[in-house]
Amino acid sequence: MNNEKPSGILTGPNLLSCIDELSLQDHDDLTHCTQIATHSANMACSRFVDSTKWLDEYVTTLNFLGWSVFQDTIFTRTRHDVSKSVADFLIQRAQAMPDHRQGNAMIDTLDALKPDKPAVVSLDEESRLGNRFQVIPARYDSKGVLQIAVFNLELVADTKRSNFLFLGREGHAAKIIQQGAYLKLDKNILETKRALIEKKRSEIKAKRFDLWKNKR
């Protein structure tokens, strides 16, 4: 069995960025929970019509699967100018997080995504060229608890273009509207839901792209 870990994962509108010591089991659990939460939120409403309601259902589903909100932060809307590319913006935001490893992990994830044409096309389609997508950095805290930040993002630009993450925005007005939540995993709760998770993920059959930094 190959124990090498991907730099990140793309599934639906979710781009997961993982620090390199995340275990393979936690990679899979995080991906499956994300897929189930996305499906549940899509059943509740369109993320393109009511992003706040969609994100509320998304987080509620994660909570049911064992992820609890912490830092009392959820759904705060902020606006940011994008002066270069969306990818550069994501790296800057990750570098500003308390754990400096998140910045390097985001760089590795985006480096792995950029040459993966099927994954880039899938993200373009799922997000409607950046109209709504999510970036989810993951890490362990000092006690070994798995934590994630869920950044729900909307690219507001004068033109919508394919490969939206990597195209330069110089001379083109663009902003990112961000809502976010921070969650941590109680593995004891997740274990009680494992049979349900396996059943749901087999029913959903969501696309998953493991992003390998040195993929050719």
Side-chain angles (χ1 to χ4, degrees):
M1 180 177 178
N2 184 1
N3 290 322
E4 187 179 358
K5 304 177 185 68
S7 297
I9 300 163
L10 176 70
T11 180
N14 307 282
L15 180 62
L16 284 66
S17 173
C18 308
I19 57 175
D20 56 8
E21 65 261 34
L22 211 64
S23 72
L24 288 172
Q25 183 64 65
D26 285 342
H27 268 284
D28 285 344
D29 287 343
L30 175 55
T31 303
H32 299 156
C33 289
T34 298
Q35 291 171 338
I36 294 168
T38 299
H39 178 74
S40 179
N42 286 343
M43 294 293 289
C45 67
S46 168
R47 63 181 177 273
F48 304 105
V49 175
D50 191 339
S51 63
T52 299
K53 181 179 179 181
W54 188 92
L55 187 56
D56 180 65
E57 178 62 28
Y58 185 96
V59 171
T60 297
T61 302
L62 286 180
N63 183 258
F64 173 77
L65 297 174
W67 300 84
S68 60
V69 175
F70 73 103
Q71 292 189 357
D72 297 323
T73 302
I74 187 168
F75 307 161
T76 301
R77 292 177 65 90
T78 56
R79 296 175 66 93
H80 307 274
D81 291 326
V82 178
S83 58
K84 295 181 180 179
S85 68
V86 176
D88 286 327
F89 167 81
L90 296 179
I91 292 170
Q92 291 170 3
R93 298 297 293 174
Q95 289 173 333
M97 297 180 73
D99 189 336
H100 70 276
R101 296 172 299 171
Q102 299 285 23
N104 292 333
M106 182 60 66
I107 291 172
D108 288 346
T109 298
L110 292 170
D111 282 348
L113 173 62
K114 190 172 184 178
D116 192 327
K117 300 304 181 185
V120 170
V121 170
S122 179
L123 181 59
D124 280 350
E125 293 175 347
E126 289 281 352
S127 69
R128 296 184 184 175
L129 303 180
N131 187 271
R132 189 68 61 181
F133 65 105
Q134 296 196 141
V135 174
I136 305 176
R139 65 152 195 156
Y140 296 116
D141 68 11
S142 60
K143 297 180 180 179
V145 176
L146 183 57
Q147 298 182 350
I148 59 174
V150 177
F151 296 126
N152 185 277
L153 305 169
E154 177 188 0
L155 174 63
V156 180
D158 51 3
T159 58
K160 295 288 188 180
R161 298 181 291 174
S162 59
N163 199 29
F164 74 93
L165 273 185
F166 301 104
L167 293 179
R169 292 286 164 182
E170 295 86 348
H172 299 274
K175 294 183 180 297
I176 288 284
I177 299 176
Q178 174 181 294
Q179 300 178 85
Y182 294 87
L183 302 99
K184 57 185 176 182
L185 177 62
D186 185 330
K187 290 189 176 182
N188 291 325
I189 296 177
L190 183 139
E191 286 301 324
T192 69
K193 311 290 185 181
R194 189 166 294 283
L196 175 63
I197 290 171
E198 291 299 317
K199 179 176 182 294
K200 287 295 184 181
R201 78 178 187 87
S202 65
E203 293 173 351
I204 294 170
K205 300 185 184 303
K207 289 183 180 179
R208 167 177 173 166
F209 299 87
D210 289 336
L211 305 173
W212 304 95
K213 188 175 180 182
N214 297 317
K215 182 178 180 180
R216 295 290 183 264

